[in-house]
Amino acid sequence: MMTIRDRLRFTLLILGCLMLSTAFAGSYSSSQTSKMSPMCPIGSDEAEAIHQTARQYRMGAKGTPSNKAKAETLFEGGLAMGNAKSALQLGQMYLSYSDSARNKHMIAMYGQALKMGCPDAYIALAQCYENGWGVRKDAEKT
């Protein structure tokens, strides 16, 4: 049975190989690194629509004014409907806040996405342990 650390290393290895293969193919761009894995569960079509609307409010995209509070509320709604990408986005939002209570929520959101089967959560958690974001810095878990 693989431990979480082994799973993290395996996932990072696979993602690294994928990035290298696309880089050598000449089609790699920095915008690809911000895309989430299509393997992340999205729940229903409605949950995905809520997630996409929340992203627009978070980024201020497609003519939508930036509104972080509304984005957070919508991401929570998407998560409640089974959208793992919403959990990752909430974790990223909590990372941008400086208080330690939000950092604990960040780890919880990444953990939730992991339990839902989203491979991107392994990377997010590894980065947290590598950098000491919301957890004690631990090179063994990266």
Side-chain angles (χ1 to χ4, degrees), residues 32-49:
Q32 287 176 309
T33 60
S34 64
K35 292 182 181 178
M36 290 186 197
S37 167
M39 302 287 291
C40 286
I42 62 168
S44 65
D45 289 341
E46 184 181 359
E48 179 62 6

Side-chain angles (χ1 to χ4, degrees), residues 8 11 15 37-41 88 113-114 116-124:
L8 284 170
T11 302
L15 287 172
S37 167
M39 302 287 291
C40 286
L88 286 173
L114 187 64
M116 295 171 84
C118 183
D120 295 37
Y122 286 109
I123 296 167

Side-chain angles (χ1 to χ4, degrees), residues 8 107 124-133 135-139 141-142:
L8 284 170
I107 297 299
L125 283 169
Q127 289 173 334
C128 290
Y129 281 104
E130 181 177 41
N131 296 297
W133 299 332
V135 292
R136 187 176 50 85
K137 197 171 186 176
D138 188 345
K141 292 186 179 181
T142 59

Side-chain angles (χ1 to χ4, degrees), residues 61-76:
K62 297 183 181 179
T64 305
S66 179
N67 185 331
K68 306 279 190 212
K70 186 164 187 134
E72 188 174 339
T73 301
L74 287 167
F75 282 134
E76 288 169 353

Side-chain angles (χ1 to χ4, degrees), residues 1-50:
M1 181 168 194
M2 291 179 70
T3 65
I4 289 177
R5 186 172 99 202
D6 292 334
R7 288 180 185 171
L8 284 170
R9 286 184 175 158
F10 179 74
T11 302
L12 290 172
L13 174 67
I14 296 299
L15 287 172
C17 290
L18 289 172
M19 287 179 153
L20 283 174
S21 68
T22 55
F24 286 122
S27 62
Y28 180 77
S29 71
S30 62
S31 65
Q32 287 176 309
T33 60
S34 64
K35 292 182 181 178
M36 290 186 197
S37 167
M39 302 287 291
C40 286
I42 62 168
S44 65
D45 289 341
E46 184 181 359
E48 179 62 6
I50 290 170

